[in-house]
Structures are given as C-alpha cells and as structure tokens.
Amino acid sequence: MNNHSETVSAERAYALMEKLSFTRVSCSEEETRAAAMLADEVREMGLEADIETFEASCGTVTEAKLTVLAPYEKEYEVTGYIRSDPTPGEGLELELVYVENALPANLIGCEGKAVLVNGRVTYRIFERIMKAKPAAIISFSGAVTDEKDEVDLDIRKLRETYSGAFGSAVMVNISAKDALELVLKGAKKLRITVKAESFDGVSRNVCCRIPGTEFPGETVSFGAHYDSVFFSKGAYDNMSGSVIIMELLRYFRANPPKRTLQFNWYGSEEQGLLGSKAWTKAHEEELKDHVLMINVDVAAPVLGSERIMTMGADAMQNYVDAMMKELGKPAEVKADIYSSDSVPFADHGVPAINFCRFGAPGTAFIHERRDDPSLGYMSAEALGKTLDIVLEFSKRVVNAPVFPIERKISDEMKDKVDKYLFRK
Ligand SMILES: [Zn+2]
C-alpha cells in the first residue's frame, strides 16, 4: 500500500491490533495490561515509554434486579449503572412511569417514582429528570428485535460530569425488547434492587517523546485511545488508531522529525475523555508549545471511507482539504467537533485534527461484541489507507519550514467545544 515499506507496515500494525483485541475497560486489569504491551512496543524500538497514571472514577455493581409486582409478576434482566446509588438491601418498591424523552410534560408527577426513559440518558435528559426527583431511572439499549443470546445488555455508567452537576440516582438499564413489554403490558408497580459501590480507580496514559532536530520548541502531539467498553474487543474502536500512531512513531524514530513529537495512548476515553483531560491538565505548561494535536480514532473497516475533522481556525479545513486533493487521497474534510481525545487540546487552544475511517452503514460496529477482528470485516489493507493518509499529512506538517497551521481556534469552534463540554 505504501512506499515507506522499510519503516512502516500496515500488516505489522494490523497484527498488533489483533494481539491487543481484548476488552480493555477503564481502570480494569486488562486496560493496565494493554498499557504495558503498548509501552513494551515503544521500548522495543529503543525509545523511552512513560506510563502516566491518573485517577478515574469507577465502581462495581454486585447486584441489579427489577421485578414487576403489578398488574403481573415477572423478573427482568437489568444491569446497574456503574456509580449508581445503591438501594436499601430489600430494594425499592416503586410506581413505574414511562417518560419517553423526558420532556417537562412527561415528567409531571414523577417525584418518588421509577421513570423509564427512551434509549440513552443524555446530559440534558438527565438534567430534566433529576429536577423531577424520581426515585429511580431506567434506560434501555439495543433493538426490540434483538435475540437475548445475540446481544449483550449494555453496562452503562453515571458519569461524574452528570452526577457532579445534578446529583446521583438509582439507575438501571434494560433491553429495548423488555422495555417494550413493560409498556405494552402496563407494568405499574415494581421493585428495583441495586448493590453498588463507587470509588476512584487508576487508569493510564502511555507516553513517548521525540525531540525535534530544528524546531524543538514546537511540539506536534499524536494521540489515540486504547481503552474499550464492556463486551467490546475494541479493535475498530480504537486499537486501530493506536497501532496507526505506533507505526508513525516507528517512522519518525527512523526519520528524525524537525519538530518535537509527543505520542500519547490514552486510557479511559470511553468514560468521558478522562485520559486526555488528565494529560492536558498535568502538562498545562507544556501545552503552549503544542502547535497541533493529531488524533486517530477508528480505522480498518474494508467497506468504509476516510473522514477528517478539523478543530481550529477556518483556514485549517481548507488547507487539509487542498492537501488531500493534491495528494489524490479520497477523504471528506470537515471543520467539526469529533468526540475524542482531541477535544481537551482544542479546549486549551491547540488546533486538533482527527483522522478516521468509518465503516459504510451496516459494515462495522463499535461499543459491542461485534467490534471483533475475527468477524472478518476489517483488514490490514484497509487500515493501511488511513495509515498512509495520516503519515503523508504528518510528514508535511512536522517537517514544514514554517508551521502551516495557525495556532488558533475559531470562535464558532470554541462555542462548539463549550457546548460539547456542557458549559453552555
Ligand atoms: Zn473511540
């Protein structure tokens, strides 16, 4: 696929992705193991790798039960949210109200009751629900046609950004199929039991620095998150991006860069960008030297297309779009937020760019058991397409005589970042 065969290999990257395709949830032993494996890979190149730890909110749920008591009796499978409030040991007997998307009119008279809400509880939905003071929140996931043994019931988390702003609650998740039954059969009274504990865990960023030969005071930052969610082997999202930047590190080790390069593999991205938030906070002073953040998040589906999202001044999008055309690389370039570790950098004034290869509809899966390379919808060749684009782009900007991207974030983008981080 490329003309840098001595230093960069999509096949080697893909093999490393397969080797690291196991569930790597924030603060778990597997996340720690993956960090160690990535650090080993860096050290085998003869470079130094630092594993920087940070505290991340986590917790355990040892029991979650939902039993309908009237007008019929039935126990349903539910998962408790990580960092849900626990119930008393015998559970809570509650009246059930289906509140759809939790509009104010849906929430009338919900105080002290259990509310069943559509799909995922977003920040704004959580805000509205908490004002109504229910005793428990039930969300649902999956599709009403799912067969139980083919789909895992999501384990979700009450994020600190939510609970910090609006307080915590008893929260469980049920399948969409069962949610449908609850509403169709008019479930009115139920008992919910959650045994849960909340605590701080330790998560890790893997970091490596290569000093620049000509402009050491200007740093280009590379990032990719290596954690996954429950039930997902996290190959597509995002060991694919992690191994792509590993190949870039290999390239720049062999071809010393004019600017300083910071390579970071972030932990706990899936829990709200915790790794990149921790890194930008711990290295706030250094960030004034960062001229660009390059993030890779999702790659490798055979049937897919290349997307690039820029977060900077308006000119940045045009520059990248023109470069892709000049190189003859098919990539859609947009100026927009990409929900990944690039956001905390943009929030600190560092322009950021996200490279990804999205699967065509129905051909690639994230955040579930089908994010698994053994299913055959990913390939080294497809991963190589993104690798090639990121490498071509990176070589040019890293070694440019004058850095081509202004260190500026447009007001419109600042506004989007503020909204994304729930400040507006
Ligand atoms: Zn991701």
Side-chain angles (χ1 to χ4, degrees):
M1 74 86 200
N2 64 64
N3 37 27
H4 332 278
S5 45
E6 311 89 59
T7 48
V8 169
S9 159
E11 287 71 27
R12 176 178 51 214
Y14 194 82
L16 182 61
M17 183 194 83
E18 287 184 305
K19 194 168 117 187
L20 275 139
S21 289
F22 50 84
T23 304
R24 310 173 298 274
V25 176
S26 170
C27 299
S28 66
E29 271 175 43
E30 293 77 18
E31 193 196 47
T32 305
R33 181 153 63 92
M37 288 168 74
L38 289 167
D40 283 347
E41 199 70 21
V42 172
R43 288 172 190 138
E44 273 166 32
M45 288 180 219
L47 292 166
E48 272 179 45
D50 291 320
I51 295 181
E52 299 187 10
T53 58
F54 57 93
E55 272 189 2
S57 68
C58 64
T60 52
V61 178
T62 49
E63 195 186 328
K65 268 172 90 170
L66 188 155
T67 312
V68 171
L69 305 169
Y72 64 100
E73 272 185 54
K74 184 173 174 180
E75 192 176 324
Y76 290 91
E77 186 191 354
V78 292
T79 54
Y81 274 58
I82 306 286
R83 297 182 78 88
S84 160
D85 281 349
T87 61
E90 69 280 11
L92 292 170
E93 260 189 50
L94 303 167
E95 205 181 300
L96 176 67
V97 189
Y98 171 46
V99 298
E100 301 176 349
N101 289 347
L103 297 178
N106 292 122
L107 291 164
I108 295 167
C110 283
E111 187 167 344
K113 297 176 182 169
V115 296
L116 171 66
V117 59
N118 286 344
R120 190 171 286 277
V121 179
T122 65
Y123 189 79
R124 295 301 167 202
I125 287 179
F126 188 67
E127 178 180 23
R128 294 200 295 270
I129 292 178
M130 291 303 278
K131 274 188 193 148
K133 299 190 173 62
I137 302 170
I138 306 163
S139 64
F140 59 80
S141 59
V144 292
T145 52
D146 284 345
E147 292 303 330
K148 271 206 164 25
D149 55 340
E150 287 171 6
V151 179
D152 299 294
L153 183 57
D154 259 10
I155 298 175
R156 294 178 171 174
K157 181 178 171 186
L158 174 55
R159 290 184 180 181
E160 270 195 319
T161 42
Y162 289 42
S163 59
F166 311 115
S168 57
V170 172
M171 294 181 78
V172 297
N173 188 52
I174 195 167
S175 71
K177 195 174 195 171
D178 286 344
L180 174 67
E181 187 174 294
L182 289 179
V183 176
L184 276 177
K185 293 178 82 170
K188 210 163 173 66
K189 239 180 88 183
L190 46 74
R191 183 185 295 117
I192 292 179
T193 313
V194 176
K195 288 182 186 160
E197 236 187 293
S198 300
F199 47 87
D200 281 330
V202 177
S203 185
R204 290 161 171 80
N205 295 327
V206 180
C207 310
C208 175
R209 197 175 176 79
I210 303 184
T213 55
E214 262 183 56
F215 311 106
E218 292 181 15
T219 301
V220 175
S221 197
F222 289 88
H225 76 87
Y226 71 91
D227 65 315
S228 80
V229 299
F230 287 103
F231 310 117
S232 168
K233 289 184 176 165
Y236 175 37
D237 183 15
N238 179 40
M239 195 44 70
S240 59
S242 293
V243 300
I244 284 175
I245 70 163
M246 189 65 79
E247 286 302 304
L248 295 196
L249 178 63
R250 228 177 261 285
Y251 174 85
F252 285 113
R253 192 199 69 89
N255 303 277
K258 290 188 180 172
R259 288 180 175 77
T260 297
L261 306 183
Q262 177 71 45
F263 281 83
N264 291 343
W265 289 266
Y266 295 108
S268 299
E269 187 266 359
E270 300 287 8
Q271 308 303 328
L273 319 180
L274 302 184
S276 51
K277 281 178 181 167
W279 199 88
T280 50
K281 197 174 170 198
H283 297 264
E284 204 156 11
E285 262 303 290
E286 285 165 45
L287 284 181
K288 60 182 188 317
D289 297 334
H290 283 234
V291 290
L292 178 68
M293 194 274 189
I294 298 173
N295 192 56
V296 188
D297 195 352
V298 305
V302 174
L303 303 177
S305 64
E306 304 297 324
R307 306 282 176 90
I308 300 174
M309 252 75 89
T310 62
M311 299 165 71
D314 295 337
M316 185 178 178
Q317 177 199 358
N318 298 336
Y319 166 69
V320 177
D321 190 39
M323 188 200 289
M324 290 303 130
K325 284 172 177 152
E326 186 208 325
L327 292 167
K329 304 290 180 199
E332 280 174 61
V333 185
K334 262 191 182 168
D336 208 350
I337 292 268
Y338 189 68
S339 179
S340 188
D341 294 308
S342 43
V343 175
F345 283 83
D347 190 38
H348 281 85
V350 181
I353 183 165
N354 294 278
F355 290 89
C356 43
R357 180 175 176 81
F358 284 171
T363 67
F365 309 94
I366 63 162
H367 299 177
E368 51 149 297
R369 66 165 83 170
R370 290 178 295 176
D371 183 350
D372 180 343
S374 72
L375 295 178
Y377 64 82
M378 292 177 249
S379 75
E381 196 189 343
L383 184 132
K385 291 180 181 182
T386 311
L387 169 57
D388 189 38
I389 286 176
V390 187
L391 179 62
E392 281 306 319
F393 172 84
S394 302
K395 274 161 45 180
R396 285 170 182 244
V397 296
V398 163
N399 295 321
V402 177
F403 199 71
I405 296 168
E406 191 185 2
R407 196 182 184 289
K408 198 186 153 194
I409 313 288
S410 71
D411 289 343
E412 195 192 339
M413 192 58 67
K414 277 184 198 161
D415 194 56
K416 283 185 176 180
V417 170
D418 280 339
K419 281 186 182 136
Y420 178 87
L421 295 171
F422 308 124
R423 292 197 197 106
K424 282 186 175 172

